[in-house]
CSV table of all heavy atoms in Angstrom, one decimal:
chain,number,residue,atom,x,y,z
V,63,LYS,N,44.1,49.7,60.2
V,63,LYS,CA,45.1,50.5,59.4
V,63,LYS,C,45.3,50.0,58.0
V,63,LYS,O,45.2,50.7,57.0
V,63,LYS,CB,46.4,50.6,60.2
V,63,LYS,CG,46.3,51.1,61.6
V,63,LYS,CD,47.7,51.1,62.3
V,63,LYS,CE,48.3,49.7,62.5
V,63,LYS,NZ,47.6,48.8,63.4
V,64,THR,N,45.5,48.7,57.9
V,64,THR,CA,45.7,48.1,56.6
V,64,THR,C,44.5,48.2,55.8
V,64,THR,O,44.5,48.5,54.6
V,64,THR,CB,46.2,46.6,56.8
V,64,THR,OG1,47.5,46.6,57.4
V,64,THR,CG2,46.4,46.0,55.4
V,65,THR,N,43.3,47.9,56.4
V,65,THR,CA,42.1,48.0,55.7
V,65,THR,C,41.9,49.4,55.2
V,65,THR,O,41.4,49.6,54.0
V,65,THR,CB,40.9,47.6,56.6
V,65,THR,OG1,41.2,46.3,57.2
V,65,THR,CG2,39.6,47.5,55.9
V,106,GLN,N,51.9,45.3,53.7
V,106,GLN,CA,52.4,44.9,55.0
V,106,GLN,C,53.2,43.6,54.9
V,106,GLN,O,54.3,43.4,55.4
V,106,GLN,CB,51.2,44.7,56.0
V,106,GLN,CG,51.7,44.3,57.4
V,106,GLN,CD,50.5,44.4,58.4
V,106,GLN,OE1,49.4,44.7,58.0
V,106,GLN,NE2,50.7,44.0,59.6
V,196,ASP,N,53.0,50.4,54.3
V,196,ASP,CA,52.4,49.7,55.4
V,196,ASP,C,53.5,48.9,56.1
V,196,ASP,O,54.0,47.9,55.7
V,196,ASP,CB,51.4,48.7,54.8
V,196,ASP,CG,50.4,48.2,55.9
V,196,ASP,OD1,50.7,48.4,57.1
V,196,ASP,OD2,49.3,47.7,55.5
V,197,GLU,N,53.9,49.4,57.3
V,197,GLU,CA,54.9,48.8,58.1
V,197,GLU,C,56.2,48.5,57.4
V,197,GLU,O,56.7,47.4,57.3
V,197,GLU,CB,54.4,47.5,58.8
V,197,GLU,CG,53.1,47.8,59.6
V,197,GLU,CD,52.8,46.7,60.6
V,197,GLU,OE1,53.7,45.9,61.0
V,197,GLU,OE2,51.7,46.7,61.1
V,227,VAL,N,52.3,53.3,58.0
V,227,VAL,CA,51.8,52.6,59.2
V,227,VAL,C,53.0,52.1,59.9
V,227,VAL,O,53.9,51.5,59.3
V,227,VAL,CB,50.9,51.5,58.8
V,227,VAL,CG1,50.5,50.6,60.0
V,227,VAL,CG2,49.6,52.0,58.1
V,229,HIS,N,54.5,50.3,63.9
V,229,HIS,CA,54.4,50.0,65.3
V,229,HIS,C,55.6,50.5,66.1
V,229,HIS,O,55.5,50.7,67.3
V,229,HIS,CB,54.2,48.5,65.5
V,229,HIS,CG,52.8,48.0,65.1
V,229,HIS,ND1,51.7,48.4,65.7
V,229,HIS,CD2,52.4,47.2,64.1
V,229,HIS,CE1,50.6,47.8,65.1
V,229,HIS,NE2,51.1,47.1,64.1
S,2,MG,MG1,48.1,46.0,59.1
Side-chain angles (χ1 to χ4, degrees):
Chain V
K63 305 179 296 291
T64 298
T65 308
Q106 183 168 0
D196 198 346
E197 303 201 17
V227 172
H229 287 295

